[in-house]
Short mmCIF file of all heavy atoms in Angstrom, two decimals:
data_model
loop_
_atom_site.label_atom_id
_atom_site.label_comp_id
_atom_site.label_asym_id
_atom_site.label_seq_id
_atom_site.Cartn_x
_atom_site.Cartn_y
_atom_site.Cartn_z
N GLY A 751 112.49 167.13 44.95
CA GLY A 751 111.92 166.06 45.75
C GLY A 751 111.72 166.45 47.19
O GLY A 751 110.76 165.99 47.85
N ALA A 752 112.58 167.34 47.72
CA ALA A 752 112.43 167.80 49.10
C ALA A 752 111.13 168.57 49.30
O ALA A 752 110.63 168.66 50.42
CB ALA A 752 113.62 168.68 49.49
N ASP A 753 110.57 169.13 48.21
CA ASP A 753 109.32 169.89 48.29
C ASP A 753 108.10 168.99 48.19
O ASP A 753 106.97 169.46 48.35
CB ASP A 753 109.25 170.93 47.18
CG ASP A 753 110.34 171.98 47.27
OD1 ASP A 753 111.07 171.99 48.28
OD2 ASP A 753 110.46 172.79 46.33
N CYS A 754 108.32 167.72 47.87
CA CYS A 754 107.20 166.82 47.57
C CYS A 754 107.15 165.62 48.50
O CYS A 754 106.52 164.60 48.18
CB CYS A 754 107.31 166.32 46.12
SG CYS A 754 107.45 167.62 44.87
N ILE A 755 107.80 165.71 49.65
CA ILE A 755 107.83 164.56 50.56
C ILE A 755 106.57 164.46 51.41
O ILE A 755 106.25 163.39 51.93
CB ILE A 755 109.07 164.60 51.47
CG1 ILE A 755 109.09 165.89 52.32
CG2 ILE A 755 110.35 164.45 50.67
CD1 ILE A 755 110.18 165.90 53.36
N ASN A 756 105.85 165.57 51.57
CA ASN A 756 104.59 165.56 52.30
C ASN A 756 103.76 166.76 51.84
O ASN A 756 104.26 167.63 51.12
CB ASN A 756 104.82 165.55 53.81
CG ASN A 756 105.46 166.81 54.33
OD1 ASN A 756 104.98 167.91 54.11
ND2 ASN A 756 106.59 166.67 55.04
N PRO A 757 102.49 166.84 52.22
CA PRO A 757 101.64 167.92 51.71
C PRO A 757 102.01 169.33 52.20
O PRO A 757 101.60 170.31 51.58
CB PRO A 757 100.24 167.54 52.22
CG PRO A 757 100.30 166.06 52.42
CD PRO A 757 101.70 165.80 52.91
N ALA A 758 102.75 169.45 53.31
CA ALA A 758 102.98 170.78 53.89
C ALA A 758 103.68 171.74 52.93
O ALA A 758 103.17 172.84 52.69
CB ALA A 758 103.75 170.65 55.20
N PRO A 759 104.84 171.37 52.36
CA PRO A 759 105.49 172.32 51.48
C PRO A 759 105.13 172.16 50.00
O PRO A 759 105.67 172.86 49.16
CB PRO A 759 106.98 171.97 51.68
CG PRO A 759 106.96 170.49 51.93
CD PRO A 759 105.68 170.20 52.64
N TYR A 760 104.21 171.25 49.70
CA TYR A 760 103.95 170.87 48.31
C TYR A 760 102.99 171.86 47.67
O TYR A 760 101.80 171.60 47.50
CB TYR A 760 103.39 169.45 48.27
CG TYR A 760 103.59 168.70 46.98
CD1 TYR A 760 103.50 167.30 46.94
CD2 TYR A 760 103.87 169.34 45.77
CE1 TYR A 760 103.69 166.59 45.78
CE2 TYR A 760 104.05 168.65 44.60
CZ TYR A 760 103.95 167.26 44.61
OH TYR A 760 104.13 166.55 43.43
N THR A 761 103.51 172.99 47.27
CA THR A 761 102.72 174.06 46.69
C THR A 761 101.91 173.60 45.49
O THR A 761 100.74 173.96 45.33
CB THR A 761 103.64 175.22 46.27
OG1 THR A 761 104.37 175.67 47.42
CG2 THR A 761 102.85 176.37 45.69
N ALA A 762 102.50 172.78 44.64
CA ALA A 762 101.85 172.39 43.39
C ALA A 762 100.66 171.48 43.61
O ALA A 762 99.85 171.29 42.69
CB ALA A 762 102.87 171.69 42.49
N LEU A 763 100.52 170.89 44.80
CA LEU A 763 99.44 169.95 45.05
C LEU A 763 98.26 170.59 45.79
O LEU A 763 97.35 169.89 46.21
CB LEU A 763 99.96 168.73 45.83
CG LEU A 763 99.26 167.39 45.56
CD1 LEU A 763 99.26 167.05 44.09
CD2 LEU A 763 99.91 166.28 46.36
N ARG A 764 98.29 171.90 45.95
CA ARG A 764 97.11 172.58 46.49
C ARG A 764 96.01 172.62 45.42
O ARG A 764 96.29 172.73 44.22
CB ARG A 764 97.44 174.02 46.91
CG ARG A 764 98.29 174.17 48.13
CD ARG A 764 97.74 173.51 49.37
NE ARG A 764 96.40 173.90 49.75
CZ ARG A 764 96.10 174.91 50.57
NH1 ARG A 764 97.08 175.67 51.07
NH2 ARG A 764 94.85 175.16 50.90
N ALA A 765 94.78 172.56 45.89
CA ALA A 765 93.63 172.60 44.97
C ALA A 765 92.56 173.50 45.55
O ALA A 765 91.38 173.15 45.61
CB ALA A 765 93.10 171.18 44.74
N ASN A 766 92.98 174.70 45.97
CA ASN A 766 92.08 175.65 46.61
C ASN A 766 91.72 176.81 45.69
O ASN A 766 91.62 177.96 46.09
CB ASN A 766 92.66 176.16 47.93
CG ASN A 766 94.06 176.73 47.80
OD1 ASN A 766 94.80 176.40 46.88
ND2 ASN A 766 94.44 177.59 48.73
N GLY A 767 91.56 176.50 44.41
CA GLY A 767 91.01 177.45 43.45
C GLY A 767 91.86 178.68 43.23
O GLY A 767 93.05 178.59 42.89
N GLU A 768 91.28 179.84 43.44
CA GLU A 768 91.95 181.11 43.15
C GLU A 768 93.24 181.28 43.95
O GLU A 768 94.14 182.01 43.54
CB GLU A 768 91.01 182.27 43.45
CG GLU A 768 89.85 182.41 42.47
CD GLU A 768 90.33 182.79 41.07
OE1 GLU A 768 91.12 183.74 40.95
OE2 GLU A 768 89.90 182.14 40.10
N ASN A 769 93.34 180.63 45.10
CA ASN A 769 94.55 180.73 45.92
C ASN A 769 95.55 179.61 45.64
O ASN A 769 96.59 179.57 46.29
CB ASN A 769 94.17 180.73 47.40
CG ASN A 769 93.47 182.00 47.82
OD1 ASN A 769 93.83 183.09 47.39
ND2 ASN A 769 92.44 181.87 48.65
N ALA A 770 95.23 178.73 44.71
CA ALA A 770 96.12 177.63 44.39
C ALA A 770 97.27 178.12 43.53
O ALA A 770 97.30 179.27 43.06
CB ALA A 770 95.36 176.51 43.67
N TRP A 771 98.23 177.22 43.29
CA TRP A 771 99.37 177.54 42.44
C TRP A 771 98.89 177.68 41.00
O TRP A 771 97.75 177.40 40.66
CB TRP A 771 100.43 176.43 42.59
CG TRP A 771 101.81 176.86 42.19
CD1 TRP A 771 102.53 177.89 42.70
CD2 TRP A 771 102.65 176.23 41.21
NE1 TRP A 771 103.77 177.96 42.10
CE2 TRP A 771 103.87 176.95 41.17
CE3 TRP A 771 102.49 175.14 40.37
CZ2 TRP A 771 104.92 176.61 40.32
CZ3 TRP A 771 103.54 174.79 39.52
CH2 TRP A 771 104.74 175.52 39.50
N PHE A 772 99.77 178.11 40.12
CA PHE A 772 99.42 178.41 38.73
C PHE A 772 98.68 177.23 38.08
O PHE A 772 99.13 176.09 38.12
CB PHE A 772 100.68 178.75 37.94
CG PHE A 772 101.50 179.83 38.59
CD1 PHE A 772 102.77 179.57 39.07
CD2 PHE A 772 100.97 181.10 38.76
CE1 PHE A 772 103.52 180.56 39.68
CE2 PHE A 772 101.71 182.10 39.38
CZ PHE A 772 102.99 181.83 39.83
N GLY A 773 97.57 177.56 37.46
CA GLY A 773 96.64 176.57 36.95
C GLY A 773 95.36 176.60 37.74
O GLY A 773 94.30 176.24 37.26
N TRP A 774 95.45 177.03 39.01
CA TRP A 774 94.33 177.34 39.88
C TRP A 774 93.28 176.22 39.97
O TRP A 774 92.07 176.47 39.82
CB TRP A 774 93.71 178.67 39.45
CG TRP A 774 94.77 179.73 39.38
CD1 TRP A 774 95.34 180.40 40.43
CD2 TRP A 774 95.45 180.21 38.19
NE1 TRP A 774 96.31 181.26 39.97
CE2 TRP A 774 96.41 181.17 38.61
CE3 TRP A 774 95.34 179.92 36.83
CZ2 TRP A 774 97.24 181.84 37.72
CZ3 TRP A 774 96.17 180.58 35.94
CH2 TRP A 774 97.11 181.53 36.39
N PRO A 775 93.72 174.99 40.25
CA PRO A 775 92.76 173.88 40.38
C PRO A 775 91.93 174.02 41.65
O PRO A 775 92.39 174.58 42.66
CB PRO A 775 93.65 172.64 40.45
CG PRO A 775 94.95 173.16 41.01
CD PRO A 775 95.11 174.55 40.45
N LYS A 776 90.70 173.49 41.60
CA LYS A 776 89.82 173.50 42.77
C LYS A 776 89.21 172.12 42.95
O LYS A 776 88.42 171.66 42.11
CB LYS A 776 88.72 174.55 42.63
CG LYS A 776 87.93 174.74 43.93
CD LYS A 776 86.87 175.81 43.80
CE LYS A 776 86.26 176.16 45.15
NZ LYS A 776 85.86 174.98 45.94
N SER A 777 89.58 171.45 44.03
CA SER A 777 89.06 170.13 44.34
C SER A 777 88.86 170.02 45.85
O SER A 777 89.83 170.03 46.61
CB SER A 777 90.00 169.02 43.86
OG SER A 777 89.66 167.78 44.42
N ASP A 778 87.61 169.90 46.27
CA ASP A 778 87.33 169.75 47.69
C ASP A 778 87.90 168.44 48.22
O ASP A 778 88.33 168.37 49.39
CB ASP A 778 85.83 169.80 47.93
CG ASP A 778 85.22 171.17 47.66
OD1 ASP A 778 85.99 172.16 47.63
OD2 ASP A 778 84.01 171.25 47.46
N ALA A 779 87.93 167.39 47.38
CA ALA A 779 88.43 166.09 47.83
C ALA A 779 89.93 166.15 48.11
O ALA A 779 90.42 165.60 49.11
CB ALA A 779 88.14 165.02 46.78
N VAL A 780 90.68 166.82 47.25
CA VAL A 780 92.12 166.95 47.47
C VAL A 780 92.38 167.76 48.73
O VAL A 780 93.22 167.39 49.57
CB VAL A 780 92.80 167.60 46.25
CG1 VAL A 780 94.26 167.93 46.55
CG2 VAL A 780 92.72 166.69 45.03
N GLU A 781 91.67 168.87 48.89
CA GLU A 781 91.89 169.73 50.05
C GLU A 781 91.48 169.04 51.35
O GLU A 781 92.14 169.20 52.39
CB GLU A 781 91.11 171.03 49.87
CG GLU A 781 91.73 171.97 48.84
CD GLU A 781 93.10 172.49 49.25
OE1 GLU A 781 93.18 173.21 50.26
OE2 GLU A 781 94.09 172.15 48.57
N ALA A 782 90.41 168.24 51.31
CA ALA A 782 89.98 167.53 52.52
C ALA A 782 91.03 166.51 52.94
O ALA A 782 91.31 166.35 54.14
CB ALA A 782 88.63 166.84 52.27
N ALA A 783 91.62 165.82 51.97
CA ALA A 783 92.67 164.85 52.30
C ALA A 783 93.90 165.56 52.84
O ALA A 783 94.57 165.06 53.76
CB ALA A 783 93.02 164.03 51.05
N ARG A 784 94.19 166.74 52.31
CA ARG A 784 95.32 167.51 52.82
C ARG A 784 95.07 167.93 54.27
O ARG A 784 95.96 167.83 55.12
CB ARG A 784 95.54 168.73 51.94
CG ARG A 784 96.74 169.59 52.29
CD ARG A 784 96.90 170.72 51.27
NE ARG A 784 98.12 171.46 51.50
CZ ARG A 784 98.24 172.48 52.33
NH1 ARG A 784 97.18 172.90 53.02
NH2 ARG A 784 99.39 173.11 52.47
N ASP A 785 93.86 168.38 54.55
CA ASP A 785 93.51 168.76 55.92
C ASP A 785 93.64 167.56 56.86
O ASP A 785 94.08 167.70 58.01
CB ASP A 785 92.09 169.31 55.98
CG ASP A 785 91.97 170.68 55.30
OD1 ASP A 785 93.00 171.34 55.09
OD2 ASP A 785 90.82 171.07 54.99
N ALA A 786 93.24 166.38 56.37
CA ALA A 786 93.34 165.17 57.20
C ALA A 786 94.79 164.84 57.51
O ALA A 786 95.11 164.36 58.61
CB ALA A 786 92.67 163.99 56.48
N TRP A 787 95.68 165.12 56.57
CA TRP A 787 97.11 164.88 56.84
C TRP A 787 97.61 165.82 57.94
O TRP A 787 98.32 165.39 58.85
CB TRP A 787 97.95 165.08 55.58
CG TRP A 787 99.40 164.87 55.84
CD1 TRP A 787 100.07 163.67 55.88
CD2 TRP A 787 100.38 165.87 56.16
NE1 TRP A 787 101.39 163.88 56.20
CE2 TRP A 787 101.60 165.21 56.38
CE3 TRP A 787 100.32 167.25 56.28
CZ2 TRP A 787 102.77 165.91 56.70
CZ3 TRP A 787 101.48 167.95 56.61
CH2 TRP A 787 102.68 167.27 56.81
N PHE A 788 97.23 167.09 57.87
CA PHE A 788 97.65 168.03 58.90
C PHE A 788 97.12 167.64 60.27
O PHE A 788 97.76 167.89 61.29
CB PHE A 788 97.18 169.45 58.54
CG PHE A 788 98.15 170.20 57.68
CD1 PHE A 788 98.04 170.20 56.30
CD2 PHE A 788 99.20 170.92 58.24
CE1 PHE A 788 98.93 170.89 55.50
CE2 PHE A 788 100.10 171.62 57.45
CZ PHE A 788 99.97 171.60 56.07
#
């Protein structure tokens, strides 16, 4: 739970394709919302 309290350490919630965590999802909408949080 400590890894999932915000987008910064939440490795599994990245959606930047080849650089994402295992499963390699790619979603511009997810990444844009993450950038907005930062």
Side-chain angles (χ1 to χ4, degrees):
D753 297 353
C754 306
I755 59 173
N756 66 54
Y760 204 161
T761 302
L763 211 55
R764 288 303 305 269
N766 54 337
E768 289 294 311
N769 290 320
W771 201 57
F772 307 115
W774 307 283
K776 189 177 190 312
S777 167
D778 292 341
V780 172
E781 287 295 295
R784 184 176 186 274
D785 290 343
W787 179 83
F788 272 93

